[in-house]
Amino acid sequence: MDSSTALRFGPFELQPQQRRLLRDGAPVVLGARAFDVLAALVLRRERVVTKAELLDLAWPGLVVEENNLQVQISALRKLLGPQAISTIPGRGYRFTAAADGTIDDRQRPIEAVHARAAPGMDPRERRVANLPAKLAPLYGRDQDLAALRTLIEEHRLVTVVGAGGIGKSRLAQATAHALADRWADGAWMVELAGLSDPALLPSAVAQVLEIKTSGPDTATDSLIGGLAQRSVLLVLDNCEHLLEAVASLVQAVLYGAPHVFLLTTSQEPLHLPDEQQYRVMPLGVPSQASTAGARESGAVALFAARARAVDPRFALTDENLGLVIDVCRRLDGLPLAIELAAARVASLGLRPLRDKLDARFRLLTGGSRAALRRHQTLRAALEWSHHLLNEEEKTVFRRLGVFAGGFTVALAQAVCTDERLDEWAVLDHLSALVDKSLVVADAGDVPRYRLLESARAFALEQLAAGETAQALRRHAQAMRDFMRRVDDANLDGELRTDQYAALVLPELDNLRAAYAWATGDAGDVQIAIALAARAGALIDYAIEFSIWLPPLQQQVEHGAVDDATAARYWRAITAGNMVGHVPSALQIEAASRARTLYLAMGQPRRVFSCLIQLARHHSAQQRDGEAQAAMDEARSLIQPDWPAEFRIHMLRRDAWLARVQGRIAESLTLFREAHRASVATGDWRLEVIDGSNVVDALWNAGAIDEAAQMVGALVDELRRRPAADSEMAVTFANLIGILSELGRIDEASAAARDALPVMRRSQTYFPEEWVHLFWRRGQFETAVRLLGYCDAEVHRTGVPFQVNEARLIAQARTALEAQLSPGALATAHAAGAALSKAEVLALISAAIENASGEPGR
């Protein structure tokens, strides 16, 4: 009991800590048993105290007759007055004397207490049992703290689960501190990290709680006996290395001490029936410096506070906020890693710190002297967690390190299975690693798992040299097999494009890692070709995959791969998204090669796909006869049971062919029909593609106002429901061009600014629309330079301007020739023809922000 705790009633003052009763300031002679009965009643004055409970409190460990209690109650009534203690028939006694002063709420049982601090006192400055009087600020954990408080108020056993260094102990301590006055005997925290012998657990807990024990053999009984009449929140911190012992002790406490609530922290749950688990996730990291509340986010606020602690001059600024966010993101929002990194800012500087994070285990050392030794370096924290694994769990953990950006169960099994570990064993060990907080399970329709980057770096270190090579090969093979399965289903129309994207896009980092290994010194060219061929369908999402294909052409031509892989390679070369990356003649040749191979393999759906691409490229070269022949052959292959996407492809090509042949009304009708069919599939990406085609056809047909209305609505919807960057870029380009041609320059400029991030990601800029816009904005030199780039691209690729773009270019060219001298025109045009794609983007980005146009124009 707290020595300052006292209760005054009438002329009496009870001082429980001093075991003293005063009347008018003078001590009253009171027997020990009578004092114990009085204290028990006073401290529980909000409720009835049963006779059995009073007997246990006043005569602990003894068997006595009930009349002994009656004797003490009678003596107290004579001393205090008959109204001081009431008898509740059939239940027990209750202290009912009117009190002039109140005892500290921490002495009351949980049923009667409401959390509150003394007037004017900072709640953090209260000393509650053995918790610190004041806690350090807890950054980014307000929601966790509120959720955990609710759990522990409603359940007697709650386990805070999370990775090492994620902040479990601090969160549990803050929760206990906030709620300690809900228990009569406060909150007690027992640190178990330094305890290695499970047999000593009961004694260690009893020692902290100041409960006497006679030896290890009877320590549990003594502990339970000492806790039986206490109302307390017991926090057992860092239980993961003593799970069985902790679980056994917790069960005993839950059964034998009904007023004790338990809050445990562990990297793995206790797996008890009544246990409520609360898993702590990393601190939130904003996506970028401009994100609302970026400075106040948990990770950034923690980093800034720790950096200021070692260097008071440190301050978050607009200039360094992006660097801080990058550091926190690369450290996965892990509080321990962030604290250790922030401590290095004073000696290294922020940018060098960020650049050295690849050597994080050497860099992130030297935590607080008050911290556990395993929390003084990032490596020590991970070694502690790793030591708790059995050998098979260690094997699976280190092999999972080869994954980049997460993985599915199937991929984990493909990489980790060997002659000793079958797929079911890998699944069991993966589940154990999730339980032990070394693997993070992300929510989603398809469960995905990942290692935090620091854990992944540690896992890779554990791979022996020979095992590293084998694991990397198995990873690349697993990605090859996965891409083949999903791509085949996509090619054959068994997956909607949005379903395909949902499966493949999460694996892009794994795909990149596998390809990097396959093309490296210890790689495998067959795997590299297979990965590149299957990645061709992803160019709409990441343009980088376009550069994988051309360097492998010679190996494919020389028979490095089987016919199925070769056919897929040539089909990837011929895709529309490869326009500009390979010559048009090669695309036509590739379509023919793929068609021949698929025909020999008896795969008519893929033959159809090649013919559609062949028609596209012939049409772009204005070879209408060849395009029509390819279309006729494709049409002859379609079967009634084929998915709707095949018919949509046919409608699109028919519409484009009608358009280039001047049948504008028919072309628009066909595009509308394709759009309706796409909407019916429920595939948003198809709907966006065909919606953009209708916009383009309306524009070409002269219905520019209707085109403007439709494309504006489509862009608004894309802001809510994004599609692939390439499709979004096309739609934005249409909007820019249409608004520019309508003379709505301010709106076109605003749309252009919105379009830039999408166009940067897709590396598809549609310079024809920009030429027209910059001409309309009066930025003539910029327009001419972009015109020079456009003309050079037509010459390089052999692909002429499309109809609407050709009209925009013609309008701008005529006006610019009238505005500029022949010499200035030629100079700017030549400079534009020499621009690279990156330089084009830089030119557009700089010019679109110049609202006033070019000086002197």
Side-chain angles (χ1 to χ4, degrees):
M1 296 182 184
D2 192 308
S3 60
S4 64
T5 296
L7 177 74
R8 288 178 297 278
F9 47 98
F12 296 96
E13 179 178 336
L14 179 70
Q15 297 176 348
Q17 179 66 32
Q18 291 79 16
R19 294 186 61 80
R20 185 166 57 186
L21 180 68
L22 305 177
R23 176 161 50 187
D24 296 327
V28 175
V29 177
L30 192 65
R33 300 299 184 194
F35 185 90
D36 288 340
V37 170
L38 175 61
L41 288 169
V42 169
L43 297 179
R44 292 157 180 80
R45 62 193 178 90
E46 298 288 345
R47 64 177 175 87
V48 175
V49 185
T50 66
K51 295 178 181 179
E53 188 176 356
L54 284 171
L55 288 169
D56 287 340
L57 290 169
W59 291 270
L62 299 176
V63 178
V64 296
E65 296 294 331
E66 187 176 310
N67 64 355
N68 287 326
L69 176 59
Q70 294 170 348
V71 168
Q72 302 303 330
I73 292 291
S74 177
L76 289 171
R77 283 175 173 159
K78 288 180 181 178
L79 176 66
L80 305 175
Q83 304 304 318
I85 301 172
S86 298
T87 301
I88 311 300
R91 295 181 60 191
Y93 301 92
R94 184 172 182 177
F95 185 80
T96 52
D100 300 316
T102 58
I103 58 175
D104 189 307
D105 278 342
R106 284 176 288 130
Q107 303 299 329
R108 300 184 189 176
I110 189 170
E111 298 92 328
V113 178
H114 302 281
R116 63 176 182 266
M121 179 185 293
D122 184 341
R124 293 173 300 175
E125 294 179 354
R126 295 174 295 121
R127 182 162 184 81
V128 282
N130 71 335
L131 298 180
K134 187 175 181 178
L135 300 183
L138 196 61
Y139 296 97
R141 294 299 190 195
D142 289 348
Q143 291 183 352
D144 294 302
L145 188 57
L148 197 53
R149 286 180 61 167
T150 299
L151 277 177
I152 197 62
E153 286 175 337
E154 297 176 354
H155 302 278
R156 289 188 62 204
L157 172 60
V158 178
T159 298
V160 181
V161 184
I166 207 164
K168 302 183 296 297
S169 297
R170 288 183 180 177
L171 180 59
Q173 188 181 63
T175 303
H177 202 278
L179 292 178
D181 53 5
R182 296 291 304 274
W183 286 268
D185 299 303
W188 296 79
M189 195 161 188
V190 183
E191 169 56 59
L192 301 179
L195 183 66
S196 58
D197 186 350
L200 298 179
L201 175 63
S203 298
V205 175
Q207 182 179 6
V208 172
L209 292 170
E210 300 175 359
I211 295 173
K212 293 182 178 180
T213 62
S214 56
D217 294 340
T218 60
T220 298
D221 292 339
S222 299
L223 175 61
I224 301 304
L227 284 174
Q229 301 305 321
R230 292 196 190 185
S231 172
V232 65
L233 174 63
L234 178 58
V235 183
L236 301 179
D237 193 27
N238 295 301
C239 302
E240 55 273 349
H241 61 304
L242 301 168
L243 280 180
E244 290 187 10
V246 170
S248 177
L249 180 63
V250 164
Q251 283 185 304
V253 171
L254 290 174
Y255 180 77
H259 304 300
V260 175
F261 282 55
L262 293 116
L263 179 61
T264 66
T265 77
S266 177
Q267 294 182 24
E268 182 178 1
L270 302 180
H271 299 293
L272 292 176
D274 297 326
E275 179 184 26
Q276 299 292 312
Q277 298 177 28
Y278 187 81
R279 189 166 288 277
V280 184
M281 302 305 291
L283 291 173
V285 182
S287 58
Q288 53 190 3
S290 60
T291 302
R295 292 170 179 265
E296 292 76 33
S297 68
V300 172
L302 175 62
F303 184 96
R306 296 298 181 262
R308 282 193 297 271
V310 296
D311 182 3
R313 298 168 299 173
F314 178 85
L316 277 177
T317 65
D318 292 342
E319 290 71 29
N320 68 18
L321 180 57
L323 278 173
V324 171
I325 290 173
D326 194 25
V327 169
C328 293
R329 182 185 302 111
R330 294 184 64 189
L331 295 174
D332 293 303
L334 190 69
L336 171 62
I338 290 172
E339 291 188 354
L340 294 173
R344 293 292 188 184
V345 170
S347 58
L348 289 177
L350 189 54
R351 189 175 297 276
L353 170 72
R354 192 274 308 271
D355 295 341
K356 292 177 181 292
L357 282 180
D358 286 341
R360 63 187 68 197
F361 295 129
R362 293 192 299 274
L363 177 68
L364 303 184
T365 62
S368 166
R369 292 182 183 272
L372 294 171
R373 289 193 64 183
R374 63 185 172 89
H375 282 174
Q376 291 179 1
T377 73
L378 184 59
R379 178 186 294 280
L382 288 165
E383 285 176 343
W384 166 272
S385 302
H386 188 253
H387 177 71
L388 300 176
L389 306 179
N390 63 39
E391 288 307 313
E392 290 188 338
E393 289 168 348
K394 289 178 180 177
T395 298
V396 172
F397 170 69
R398 63 178 177 262
R399 291 177 182 176
L400 292 176
V402 300
F403 286 104
F407 49 89
T408 62
V409 168
L411 286 172
Q413 289 172 322
V415 169
C416 298
T417 300
D418 61 17
E419 63 278 1
R420 294 183 302 107
L421 293 170
D422 62 21
E423 291 183 348
W424 294 106
V426 170
L427 179 59
D428 288 342
H429 297 319
L430 175 60
S431 298
L433 292 171
V434 172
D435 274 350
K436 296 173 189 296
S437 304
L438 280 169
V439 172
V440 178
D442 291 327
D445 294 336
V446 178
R448 286 189 63 76
Y449 304 86
R450 60 188 169 89
L451 275 65
L452 297 180
E453 277 305 303
S454 296
R456 179 172 180 253
F458 185 81
L460 288 172
E461 280 193 357
Q462 307 310 305
L463 283 172
E467 197 177 6
T468 298
Q470 182 184 32
L472 290 173
R473 173 175 286 278
R474 291 177 69 88
H475 176 258
Q477 291 170 334
M479 287 308 303
R480 175 200 62 196
D481 296 342
F482 165 77
M483 290 297 298
R484 180 176 62 236
R485 289 193 302 271
V486 179
D487 186 57
D488 285 349
N490 185 45
L491 278 175
D492 292 336
E494 296 169 4
L495 288 175
R496 297 198 315 258
T497 61
D498 56 342
Q499 294 171 329
Y500 168 79
L503 289 171
V504 177
L505 295 186
E507 307 301 347
L508 292 191
D509 286 339
N510 279 319
L511 179 58
R512 294 179 179 111
Y515 183 77
W517 172 84
T519 54
D521 293 340
D524 186 318
V525 69
Q526 292 183 333
I527 294 177
I529 294 170
L531 291 172
R534 303 291 179 175
L538 293 167
I539 298 173
D540 289 337
Y541 300 94
I543 194 68
E544 69 186 88
F545 297 123
S546 63
I547 66 175
W548 290 8
L549 291 162
L552 298 169
Q553 181 180 342
Q554 187 174 2
Q555 287 97 322
V556 177
E557 289 179 332
H558 290 170
V561 291
D562 56 50
D563 286 349
T565 304
R568 187 63 186 96
Y569 173 86
W570 294 119
R571 171 62 182 81
I573 286 285
T574 196
N577 49 30
M578 284 296 291
V579 172
H581 299 287
V582 295
S584 297
L586 176 58
Q587 289 199 290
I588 292 174
E589 179 187 354
S592 297
R593 286 190 177 193
R595 169 192 170 276
T596 299
L597 288 168
Y598 282 134
L599 195 61
M601 288 185 282
Q603 295 182 318
R605 294 187 183 187
R606 300 185 194 183
V607 173
F608 173 94
S609 174
C610 297
L611 290 167
I612 290 294
Q613 295 303 324
L614 196 58
R616 174 204 293 270
H617 297 305
H618 281 312
S619 181
Q621 298 296 318
Q622 299 177 342
R623 300 171 181 171
D624 294 351
E626 290 90 337
Q628 188 63 61
M631 290 291 295
D632 291 342
E633 185 180 351
R635 200 182 318 276
S636 70
L637 294 173
I638 290 185
Q639 299 299 314
D641 62 340
W642 284 18
E645 189 173 349
F646 290 90
R647 180 170 174 269
I648 292 169
H649 281 301
M650 182 63 70
L651 286 168
R652 287 179 191 165
R653 297 275 34 104
D654 283 339
W656 282 109
L657 195 57
R659 177 173 172 172
V660 299
Q661 292 174 353
R663 294 178 279 125
I664 304 303
E666 181 183 351
S667 173
L668 179 56
T669 298
L670 289 167
F671 276 127
R672 288 188 189 276
E673 187 177 349
H675 184 233
R676 286 192 295 270
S678 293
V679 172
T681 67
D683 190 323
W684 174 235
R685 180 168 179 257
L686 288 182
E687 186 176 341
V688 171
I689 293 171
D690 288 299
S692 292
N693 286 340
V694 173
V695 167
D696 201 65
L698 286 166
W699 190 12
N700 182 44
I704 190 167
D705 290 328
E706 185 181 352
Q709 183 177 4
M710 183 173 180
V711 73
L714 185 55
V715 165
D716 287 343
E717 186 65 19
L718 280 169
R719 290 190 174 104
R720 292 188 292 271
R721 300 168 59 196
D725 287 339
S726 58
E727 275 79 53
M728 294 176 67
V730 169
T731 308
F732 267 113
N734 280 339
L735 179 61
I736 294 166
I738 289 169
L739 292 175
S740 183
E741 191 168 16
L742 282 170
R744 293 157 59 178
I745 306 307
D746 289 344
E747 294 175 68
S749 298
R753 293 186 188 95
D754 288 345
L756 266 179
V758 175
M759 292 182 174
R760 284 193 188 101
R761 292 195 300 268
S762 67
Q763 296 186 34
T764 309
Y765 313 135
F766 301 95
E768 300 91 340
E769 275 74 11
W770 293 98
V771 168
H772 196 276
L773 176 60
F774 286 129
W775 158 57
R776 286 293 188 108
R777 284 164 55 96
Q779 294 168 280
F780 300 146
E781 183 177 343
T782 298
V784 174
R785 292 175 70 185
L786 289 174
L787 178 61
Y789 176 79
C790 292
D791 291 340
E793 282 294 287
V794 169
H795 178 75
R796 184 180 69 84
T797 64
V799 178
F801 296 119
Q802 294 188 25
V803 176
N804 290 323
E805 284 69 22
R807 186 175 64 256
L808 294 179
I809 288 292
Q811 291 173 4
R813 192 189 305 275
T814 300
L816 291 167
E817 288 173 349
Q819 290 287 340
L820 300 175
S821 67
L825 190 71
T827 299
H829 191 277
L835 291 174
S836 66
K837 274 194 170 185
E839 290 168 332
V840 167
L841 176 60
L843 176 64
I844 290 173
S845 299
I848 195 61
E849 297 304 328
N850 184 358
S852 61
E854 293 161 354
R857 302 298 182 193

